[in-house]
Amino acid sequence: MKVQDAEGKIDLGRRLRIAHVITRLINGGADENTVHSCNWAAQGGHDVVLLHGETVQPEIIAKVDPRVELIGVPGLTRSISPVSDMRALLALTRRFRALNADIVHTHTSKAGILGRLAAWAAGVPAIVHGVHIVPFVNVGVAERFAYLALERLAAPVTSAFISVSEGIRDLYLSAGVGHPDKHYVVHSGFDLDRFRNARPPDDWRELLRLTPDAPRPPVLLMIAAFEPRKRHTEFLDVFKKIAVRLPDAVLVLAGDGPLHSIVESWAKRLGLERQVVFTGYRDDPERLIALADLCLLCSMREGLPRVVMQYLAGGTPCVACDLPGLREVLRPGINGVITPADDLAAMAEAIAAILEDRARLACLAQGAAATNLSSWDAKLMGKRIGAIYREALDQHRASTGVSTIPPVRNVALPR
């Protein structure tokens, strides 16, 4: 049923035309997951197209395999706009028909709705949706109602849902979106060795703005796009208490985004210029993690953020606000601490307490380094997605009476 070659790649039977769709291509976890998926399929000999919206960043474009064709879609924006959304829906439908796509794999909420409906209208055999975040959780009543209605509308035409965590999958199922047999969990893979073997940046003293004879301070790190749901300004409000309690601690904020200048101005307003370092986008996050004593994440909405696994792969414990699926990998008291999602003051208290107890910090670091992250290996992610593609195609062929191969039922994902 599933055929693997000597390198462990899934043989999908023939050269396929696979179209991925995402609203934006920025320096984020969902975007990197999408690029990994595209590159894996292209390296396996398939024809791959990545359709994206109008917001793109050159750093993520540079990571796309040259064999993957990039196509911008007019009107595909993150914000809801009936005119632009209809324009994008029609453009995607035309593209899928012209490509004669075998599989459409959508990513993120907006592209997921428009892409699946367009794929259905174009008669695409297998329609797969990657669930990186739950759009109807921790949002206003109107937004929750709208996204739930749209997800339920798109569910019947969805061949498979691929969630990045069990918690995300369970939220979809509890909301009545999709049949359980259509839901799978595939962890968002990355290069584990890159993070396990990393060393701090050579210029770490300059990065932390230290004089040559200054002792190394406690270093906190948060890698996150500067967007409202990441809560940078809210965290700075509580970090001020940490700064008073631990005046030598340094907070490194890595990443970029629309709120970057606002957050930087907020740090100055709070008088935290000396203790908060803004690095902008870095292509060596593993080296920042190697420098840090403690890594942080205070998002109010996420899937299972891949950056948490990257923190742990680097042997650095993590303090994070509670998120769906987070406890699949972050073990309180072993490799990190989980605090209530609506209580950043509790997060600040946990951070200060750990930094003040070096023995506890060392134990958490040992636990982080020992965390089993094999399920997040990038190659394994590709193989698991390939198995789901195969099942979706087999079930389509069986339902239309054109398959001579029995469909795979309850596909066993590669380990």
Side-chain angles (χ1 to χ4, degrees):
M1 297 197 293
K2 293 195 307 293
V3 180
Q4 296 188 2
D5 64 16
E7 296 181 355
K9 295 179 181 178
I10 298 296
D11 178 8
L12 296 176
R14 60 183 176 84
R15 185 167 182 162
L16 297 174
R17 292 174 293 275
I18 304 171
H20 287 258
V21 189
I22 191 168
T23 311
R24 307 179 297 173
L25 273 176
I26 62 171
N27 300 310
D31 315 77
E32 291 185 355
N33 173 294
T34 301
V35 170
H36 272 303
S37 300
C38 290
N39 291 351
W40 168 83
Q43 291 159 9
H46 302 289
D47 297 322
V48 184
V49 174
L50 175 53
L51 299 109
H52 58 83
E54 299 170 359
T55 302
V56 297
Q57 291 178 334
E59 297 88 359
I60 194 73
I61 293 294
K63 296 177 182 179
V64 179
D65 190 289
R67 289 165 287 193
V68 176
E69 182 181 1
L70 288 163
I71 299 176
V73 180
L76 184 55
T77 60
R78 193 181 187 196
S79 59
I80 296 176
S81 169
V83 174
S84 294
D85 294 346
M86 182 55 67
R87 183 184 178 198
L89 179 66
L90 294 174
L92 287 169
T93 304
R94 288 194 294 268
R95 282 289 184 183
F96 296 152
R97 285 175 177 160
L99 292 168
N100 194 23
D102 298 292
I103 298 168
V104 164
H105 188 163
T106 63
H107 305 264
T108 66
S109 305
K110 180 75 167 292
I113 299 297
L114 296 177
R116 281 179 284 166
L117 294 179
W120 171 76
V124 175
I127 304 172
V128 177
H129 178 50
V131 187
H132 304 273
I133 190 170
V134 181
F136 47 81
V137 170
N138 292 335
V139 295
V141 174
E143 193 173 355
R144 171 180 169 79
F145 176 82
Y147 265 112
L148 260 178
L150 290 169
E151 286 289 347
R152 288 169 177 163
L153 175 68
V157 304
T158 307
S159 308
F161 295 86
I162 301 178
S163 296
V164 295
S165 76
E166 294 176 6
I168 294 293
R169 176 203 60 195
D170 293 346
L171 284 170
Y172 261 64
L173 289 174
S174 64
V177 179
H179 191 275
D181 287 349
K182 300 290 186 181
H183 282 267
Y184 305 89
V185 175
V186 177
H187 292 144
S188 187
F190 60 98
D191 183 350
L192 291 171
D193 289 339
R194 175 183 172 187
F195 289 82
R196 286 173 174 157
N197 302 320
R199 298 176 63 85
D202 294 335
D203 62 344
W204 66 269
R205 283 189 166 275
E206 181 180 348
L207 177 69
L208 299 179
R209 302 195 294 261
L210 299 176
T211 59
D213 58 343
R216 182 191 180 284
V219 178
L220 301 170
L221 170 67
M222 182 159 68
I223 302 176
F226 284 76
E227 298 179 344
R229 65 187 174 92
K230 304 291 187 175
R231 299 196 289 187
H232 286 86
T233 55
E234 294 89 337
F235 180 72
L236 287 178
D237 288 337
V238 299
F239 175 71
K240 188 169 184 178
K241 298 178 182 179
I242 300 175
V244 171
R245 191 162 158 182
L246 296 158
D248 59 338
V250 176
L251 171 64
V252 178
L253 297 178
D256 209 343
L259 298 185
H260 186 279
S261 60
I262 293 174
V263 176
E264 195 162 5
S265 296
W266 192 251
K268 292 178 180 178
R269 180 177 176 179
L270 294 174
L272 294 171
E273 303 100 311
R274 186 182 67 82
Q275 287 182 269
V276 180
V277 173
F278 293 84
T279 71
Y281 170 78
R282 299 270 302 213
D283 61 3
D284 60 347
E286 71 281 3
R287 304 196 78 179
L288 295 180
I289 294 168
L291 173 64
D293 294 289
L294 198 59
C295 290
L296 317 173
L297 189 71
C298 59
S299 306
M300 64 184 298
R301 293 176 58 238
E302 290 276 8
L304 177 54
R306 185 166 57 169
V307 72
V308 171
M309 275 61 71
Q310 293 173 344
Y311 291 160
L312 299 177
T316 306
C318 175
V319 178
C321 293
D322 207 356
L323 293 165
L326 192 61
R327 295 174 190 272
E328 293 174 35
V329 65
L330 198 59
R331 313 294 185 192
I334 297 175
N335 58 12
V337 173
I338 299 175
T339 59
D342 58 353
D343 192 350
L344 290 181
M347 184 181 191
E349 174 60 33
I351 292 167
I354 294 171
L355 291 181
E356 290 172 338
D357 187 344
R358 304 303 292 186
R360 183 185 177 199
L361 178 60
C363 287
L364 291 174
Q366 289 177 355
T371 304
N372 180 5
L373 297 169
S374 57
S375 185
W376 279 269
D377 182 82
K379 293 179 181 178
L380 180 59
M381 182 183 79
K383 290 191 287 184
R384 288 179 167 176
I385 290 174
I388 294 168
Y389 285 173
R390 171 63 185 268
E391 177 175 4
L393 287 170
D394 281 352
Q395 290 185 350
H396 171 77
R397 291 164 184 158
S399 68
T400 55
V402 298
S403 177
T404 58
I405 303 174
V408 179
R409 299 297 182 188
N410 298 319
V411 62
L413 296 183
R415 295 182 179 276

Short mmCIF file of all heavy atoms in Angstrom, two decimals, residues 23 42 97 108 112 117 132 135 144 149 170 192 216-217 230 235 237 260 306 337 342:
data_model
loop_
_atom_site.label_atom_id
_atom_site.label_comp_id
_atom_site.label_asym_id
_atom_site.label_seq_id
_atom_site.Cartn_x
_atom_site.Cartn_y
_atom_site.Cartn_z
N THR A 23 -1.63 32.37 2.84
CA THR A 23 -1.99 33.78 2.73
C THR A 23 -0.76 34.66 2.62
O THR A 23 -0.70 35.56 1.78
CB THR A 23 -2.82 34.22 3.95
OG1 THR A 23 -3.87 33.27 4.17
CG2 THR A 23 -3.42 35.59 3.72
N ALA A 42 8.95 18.52 -3.99
CA ALA A 42 9.74 18.82 -5.19
C ALA A 42 10.98 17.94 -5.26
O ALA A 42 11.35 17.43 -6.33
CB ALA A 42 10.13 20.29 -5.21
N ARG A 97 -7.49 24.83 -12.06
CA ARG A 97 -7.93 24.21 -13.32
C ARG A 97 -6.80 24.19 -14.34
O ARG A 97 -6.58 23.18 -15.02
CB ARG A 97 -9.13 24.97 -13.87
CG ARG A 97 -10.43 24.69 -13.11
CD ARG A 97 -11.55 25.56 -13.62
NE ARG A 97 -12.81 25.25 -12.96
CZ ARG A 97 -13.87 26.06 -12.90
NH1 ARG A 97 -13.78 27.27 -13.47
NH2 ARG A 97 -14.96 25.70 -12.27
N THR A 108 -2.96 27.90 6.83
CA THR A 108 -3.47 29.06 7.56
C THR A 108 -4.95 29.28 7.25
O THR A 108 -5.51 28.72 6.30
CB THR A 108 -2.65 30.34 7.28
OG1 THR A 108 -2.77 30.74 5.92
CG2 THR A 108 -1.19 30.13 7.63
N GLY A 112 -6.90 28.77 3.83
CA GLY A 112 -7.54 27.46 3.99
C GLY A 112 -8.97 27.45 3.52
O GLY A 112 -9.42 26.48 2.89
N LEU A 117 -12.30 25.87 -1.07
CA LEU A 117 -13.50 26.09 -1.88
C LEU A 117 -13.14 26.19 -3.37
O LEU A 117 -13.84 25.66 -4.23
CB LEU A 117 -14.23 27.35 -1.42
CG LEU A 117 -14.82 27.29 0.00
CD1 LEU A 117 -15.48 28.62 0.35
CD2 LEU A 117 -15.81 26.14 0.14
N HIS A 132 -2.51 25.09 11.35
CA HIS A 132 -1.39 25.60 12.14
C HIS A 132 -1.87 26.36 13.37
O HIS A 132 -1.11 26.53 14.33
CB HIS A 132 -0.52 26.51 11.28
CG HIS A 132 -0.02 25.86 10.03
ND1 HIS A 132 1.14 25.12 10.00
CD2 HIS A 132 -0.54 25.81 8.77
CE1 HIS A 132 1.34 24.66 8.76
NE2 HIS A 132 0.33 25.06 8.01
N PRO A 135 -8.59 29.17 14.24
CA PRO A 135 -9.04 30.56 14.04
C PRO A 135 -10.22 30.96 14.91
O PRO A 135 -10.49 32.16 15.04
CB PRO A 135 -9.42 30.58 12.55
CG PRO A 135 -9.80 29.17 12.24
CD PRO A 135 -8.90 28.32 13.09
N ARG A 144 -15.42 34.36 16.03
CA ARG A 144 -15.56 32.93 16.30
C ARG A 144 -16.70 32.35 15.47
O ARG A 144 -16.56 31.30 14.84
CB ARG A 144 -15.81 32.70 17.78
CG ARG A 144 -16.18 31.25 18.11
CD ARG A 144 -16.43 31.05 19.60
NE ARG A 144 -17.03 29.75 19.87
CZ ARG A 144 -16.38 28.60 19.91
NH1 ARG A 144 -15.08 28.60 19.72
NH2 ARG A 144 -17.00 27.46 20.15
N ALA A 149 -18.42 28.91 11.13
CA ALA A 149 -19.34 28.68 10.01
C ALA A 149 -18.57 28.36 8.74
O ALA A 149 -18.94 27.43 7.98
CB ALA A 149 -20.23 29.91 9.81
N ASP A 170 -7.99 18.18 18.44
CA ASP A 170 -9.10 17.96 19.35
C ASP A 170 -10.03 19.17 19.40
O ASP A 170 -11.25 19.02 19.56
CB ASP A 170 -8.59 17.62 20.75
CG ASP A 170 -7.87 16.28 20.80
OD1 ASP A 170 -8.01 15.50 19.83
OD2 ASP A 170 -7.17 16.02 21.79
N LEU A 192 16.75 19.23 13.36
CA LEU A 192 17.05 19.11 14.79
C LEU A 192 18.53 19.32 15.08
O LEU A 192 18.90 19.99 16.05
CB LEU A 192 16.61 17.74 15.29
CG LEU A 192 15.10 17.48 15.34
CD1 LEU A 192 14.84 16.00 15.64
CD2 LEU A 192 14.44 18.34 16.40
N ARG A 216 28.95 37.96 32.27
CA ARG A 216 27.81 37.55 31.44
C ARG A 216 26.52 37.64 32.27
O ARG A 216 26.43 37.04 33.33
CB ARG A 216 28.00 36.12 30.94
CG ARG A 216 26.89 35.62 30.03
CD ARG A 216 27.02 34.12 29.80
NE ARG A 216 25.98 33.60 28.93
CZ ARG A 216 24.72 33.38 29.29
NH1 ARG A 216 24.33 33.67 30.53
NH2 ARG A 216 23.84 32.89 28.43
N PRO A 217 25.51 38.35 31.77
CA PRO A 217 24.26 38.48 32.52
C PRO A 217 23.31 37.31 32.24
O PRO A 217 23.50 36.57 31.28
CB PRO A 217 23.67 39.78 31.97
CG PRO A 217 24.12 39.78 30.54
CD PRO A 217 25.49 39.15 30.54
N LYS A 230 1.19 37.99 19.71
CA LYS A 230 2.42 37.60 20.41
C LYS A 230 2.59 38.36 21.71
O LYS A 230 3.42 37.99 22.54
CB LYS A 230 3.64 37.82 19.51
CG LYS A 230 3.56 37.10 18.16
CD LYS A 230 3.65 35.60 18.30
CE LYS A 230 3.73 34.94 16.92
NZ LYS A 230 3.93 33.48 17.00
N PHE A 235 3.98 41.95 27.51
CA PHE A 235 5.04 41.28 28.27
C PHE A 235 6.04 42.30 28.81
O PHE A 235 6.56 42.14 29.93
CB PHE A 235 5.76 40.24 27.43
CG PHE A 235 6.86 39.55 28.19
CD1 PHE A 235 6.55 38.64 29.19
CD2 PHE A 235 8.19 39.84 27.94
CE1 PHE A 235 7.55 38.02 29.93
CE2 PHE A 235 9.20 39.23 28.68
CZ PHE A 235 8.88 38.32 29.68
N ASP A 237 5.44 45.14 29.92
CA ASP A 237 4.85 45.71 31.14
C ASP A 237 5.22 44.88 32.36
O ASP A 237 5.53 45.43 33.43
CB ASP A 237 3.33 45.80 31.01
CG ASP A 237 2.89 46.90 30.05
OD1 ASP A 237 3.68 47.83 29.82
OD2 ASP A 237 1.77 46.80 29.52
N HIS A 260 7.02 46.11 15.25
CA HIS A 260 8.38 46.21 15.77
C HIS A 260 8.69 47.59 16.33
O HIS A 260 9.17 47.72 17.47
CB HIS A 260 9.39 45.85 14.67
CG HIS A 260 10.81 45.76 15.15
ND1 HIS A 260 11.60 46.87 15.33
CD2 HIS A 260 11.57 44.70 15.50
CE1 HIS A 260 12.79 46.50 15.76
NE2 HIS A 260 12.80 45.20 15.87
N ARG A 306 6.47 25.87 16.68
CA ARG A 306 7.70 25.12 16.43
C ARG A 306 8.88 25.72 17.18
O ARG A 306 9.83 25.00 17.54
CB ARG A 306 7.98 25.09 14.93
CG ARG A 306 9.17 24.24 14.57
CD ARG A 306 9.23 23.95 13.12
NE ARG A 306 9.24 25.15 12.31
CZ ARG A 306 9.50 25.15 11.00
NH1 ARG A 306 9.73 24.01 10.40
NH2 ARG A 306 9.49 26.27 10.32
N VAL A 337 8.25 25.63 32.18
CA VAL A 337 7.13 26.01 33.03
C VAL A 337 6.01 26.52 32.13
O VAL A 337 6.27 27.24 31.16
CB VAL A 337 7.54 27.11 34.04
CG1 VAL A 337 6.33 27.63 34.81
CG2 VAL A 337 8.59 26.57 35.01
N ASP A 342 -3.89 33.84 30.51
CA ASP A 342 -4.38 35.19 30.76
C ASP A 342 -3.69 35.87 31.93
O ASP A 342 -4.20 36.86 32.47
CB ASP A 342 -5.89 35.15 31.01
CG ASP A 342 -6.26 34.25 32.19
OD1 ASP A 342 -5.36 33.57 32.71
OD2 ASP A 342 -7.44 34.24 32.57
#
